[in-house]
Amino acid sequence: MSAHCQLTGAKPGFGNAISHSHRRTSRRFDPNIQRKRYWLPSEGRHIRLTLSTKAIRTIDNIGIEAAVARIRARGGKV
């Protein structure tokens, strides 16, 4: 599963891990990605989305229909 949110587009950030001696090594900051299943009443089916936890809270606020419309507007497949 790639660390990419379908709603917000959140993806990994890259930077450095800095040790106590201040040596730098590459590291990756992954978003908190979850797979979540929603009922889509307009189509009469369940959909499974790969979302960040921030996007899950957004869906709680705006509703699944509006969220699916945003995903499709970004060119995403649902």
Side-chain angles (χ1 to χ4, degrees):
M1 172 172 66
S2 70
H4 180 79
C5 176
Q6 288 181 284
L7 181 61
T8 62
K11 55 189 177 191
F14 296 89
N16 291 310
I18 302 179
S19 70
H20 180 69
S21 64
H22 219 66
R23 287 179 58 101
R24 294 179 174 150
T25 55
S26 293
R27 64 158 293 177
R28 178 173 151 153
F29 296 89
D30 284 326
N32 188 359
I33 298 293
Q34 310 290 323
R35 284 183 54 87
K36 192 136 170 72
R37 188 172 172 240
Y38 288 99
W39 173 251
L40 195 58
S42 63
E43 298 180 17
R45 66 184 180 107
H46 284 97
I47 57 171
R48 188 175 301 275
L49 299 174
T50 305
L51 302 167
S52 63
T53 50
K54 179 181 177 181
I56 292 171
R57 291 193 306 269
T58 301
I59 291 175
D60 290 343
N61 287 330
I62 66 172
I64 187 64
E65 297 290 343
V68 168
R70 282 190 192 180
I71 293 170
R72 288 182 173 147
R74 292 182 74 231
K77 184 180 170 200
V78 177

